[in-house]
Amino acid sequence: MKKIGFLLILFFAILSCSSESEMTPTTPETTTDEYKLLTINTSGELYEIGNNTGTTIKIGQIPTYSNLLMLQSVCNLNSKILAIEAIAFSPNIIYVYDKNSGSTNSVTINLPASVTTNMNEPFLSAMTYDGSRILAVVGENMPNSTHPSKIVSINPDTYQVTDLEIAFYQQSVLSMLYTNNKLYMGTRNHGFLEVDVLEKTVTVKANIAITRLTKQNETNIACMQLIPGGVINGVKPITFDLQNDVYAEKSTDTVIGLGNVTGNTIFYNNEYLTILFKPNGVFGLQKMNYTTNVTNFIPLNYNVLGANA
């Protein structure tokens, strides 16, 4: 069985199915998992979840002060997981979880003066991994339209910080993804942003609020568009064409809801996977085929895992 490392948004219960002939009793078919998902919630609890059964096993814990792990900061590296907690008295500490030992240590990040000058209470507000380094957004504890945010890189071995000399305005990065040599950010109020790290430019791709970014293919990103209205944290799945800056809905269903609007997810075997609430309040894992638009939903145990992830 494969293990797919990624940071979804919550957790699951068990689902099984069986078949029965009208004429002759048969042994019920057993649902099996093709792979497992690695998930984390804002309390720092780590789970492995079967992609078909929804079977959930807790495999670790990142200790937190206030159960406020920022999902948009979680980075899944080969042997470790990095994350930041939203705590005002100690804003720039990265938790480092060792996958092999299950232990966690913390590293204080020293931001260069070129980044923090003229910023009020600067802190790391979002991170992603580009394959060799951590790319992070440095914002303000109380962001405003006067002071821009900055982008830095962090060495994942030494934790040395480099100012990338990129400044832009934002007040809430919900999800961040590095692909095709570009950094993409879904924000709540400042649109869908593309950052060319080499050219040091920031471009608004579309004036929409999106989250749960993941790479669909070389030209498209799969994500959730926030839909304001009656559903709390209401969203709809879309595909965004990065070459032509156009997007299209992938579902005609009613608006669905997220327990937490921050963080990323994965696209695997042509399926976009997201943990969410259906309109009737049922909680679970949605797997949507982006070719056929067919959705498979696996109910999960909300009482075991909670919704805040």
Side-chain angles (χ1 to χ4, degrees):
M1 181 186 299
K2 298 179 182 178
K3 290 184 180 179
I4 305 301
F6 89 110
L7 306 184
L8 242 178
I9 327 157
L10 265 245
F11 1 70
F12 315 169
I14 297 175
L15 174 70
S16 63
C17 64
S18 62
S19 62
E20 182 176 337
S21 170
E22 294 183 3
M23 301 299 294
T24 305
T26 59
T27 303
E29 294 182 3
T30 302
T31 298
T32 59
D33 294 315
E34 300 165 308
Y35 56 89
K36 293 182 179 180
L37 309 175
L38 175 62
T39 71
I40 191 170
N41 61 20
T42 55
S43 298
E45 297 170 327
L46 290 155
Y47 295 90
E48 282 186 351
I49 302 169
N51 74 302
N52 291 324
T53 65
T55 301
T56 304
I57 300 175
K58 185 177 180 180
I59 62 169
Q61 172 76 56
I62 298 177
T64 63
Y65 285 102
S66 307
N67 296 331
L68 293 175
L69 212 64
M70 295 190 294
L71 300 184
Q72 68 271 39
S73 76
V74 178
C75 295
N76 186 22
L77 283 64
N78 291 331
S79 62
K80 55 190 176 183
I81 295 172
L82 309 184
I84 301 170
E85 188 173 13
I87 45 178
F89 62 86
S90 186
N92 294 316
I93 291 180
I94 292 181
Y95 297 127
V96 182
Y97 175 83
D98 188 300
K99 294 181 183 179
N100 296 318
S101 67
S103 61
T104 302
N105 69 308
S106 59
V107 178
T108 299
I109 300 300
N110 297 311
L111 298 172
S114 60
V115 172
T116 60
T117 300
N118 298 324
M119 295 185 75
N120 296 320
E121 300 181 29
F123 81 109
L124 297 168
S125 60
M127 300 192 302
T128 193
Y129 184 54
D130 72 356
S132 62
R133 59 184 176 171
I134 305 298
L135 298 177
V137 174
V138 181
E140 292 187 329
N141 186 33
M142 297 296 290
N144 57 61
S145 59
T146 303
H147 301 145
S149 296
K150 305 289 183 66
I151 297 178
V152 301
S153 67
I154 303 173
N155 185 303
D157 297 316
T158 65
Y159 300 100
Q160 181 177 354
V161 180
T162 301
D163 181 3
L164 297 183
E165 301 177 351
I166 302 172
F168 68 105
Y169 290 94
Q170 64 82 30
Q171 294 180 336
S172 179
V173 174
L174 304 177
S175 182
M176 197 156 68
L177 173 72
Y178 185 86
T179 183
N180 298 335
N181 299 314
K182 301 287 181 63
L183 178 63
Y184 294 95
M185 286 182 277
T187 73
R188 186 183 291 275
N189 300 313
H190 289 79
F192 176 38
L193 307 180
E194 178 185 79
V195 180
D196 188 317
V197 179
L198 295 178
E199 297 297 328
K200 304 184 186 303
T201 59
V202 180
T203 304
V204 179
K205 302 288 282 184
N207 288 309
I208 56 174
I210 58 175
T211 187
R212 302 288 169 82
L213 275 62
T214 187
K215 182 178 180 178
Q216 180 182 342
N217 52 43
E218 293 303 317
T219 60
N220 288 63
I221 283 179
C223 56
M224 286 288 186
Q225 181 183 4
L226 273 66
I227 307 296
V231 177
I232 297 176
N233 295 336
V235 292
K236 278 192 172 185
I238 66 171
T239 180
F240 195 100
D241 184 333
L242 297 173
Q243 293 182 332
N244 299 301
D245 291 348
V246 295
Y247 59 94
E249 286 189 13
K250 297 301 295 181
S251 173
T252 57
D253 294 340
T254 55
V255 176
I256 47 185
L258 299 177
N260 189 305
V261 296
T262 63
N264 286 23
T265 187
I266 66 166
F267 193 89
Y268 188 72
N269 283 346
N270 204 37
E271 289 183 329
Y272 180 61
L273 297 93
T274 316
I275 300 175
L276 47 75
F277 289 92
K278 296 181 72 175
N280 60 3
V282 177
F283 172 72
L285 171 67
Q286 177 172 286
K287 301 188 295 181
M288 183 173 190
N289 187 297
Y290 260 39
T291 298
T292 64
N293 288 357
V294 173
T295 296
N296 182 20
F297 185 82
I298 302 174
L300 304 178
N301 194 329
Y302 169 85
N303 292 324
V304 172
L305 298 166
N308 194 23

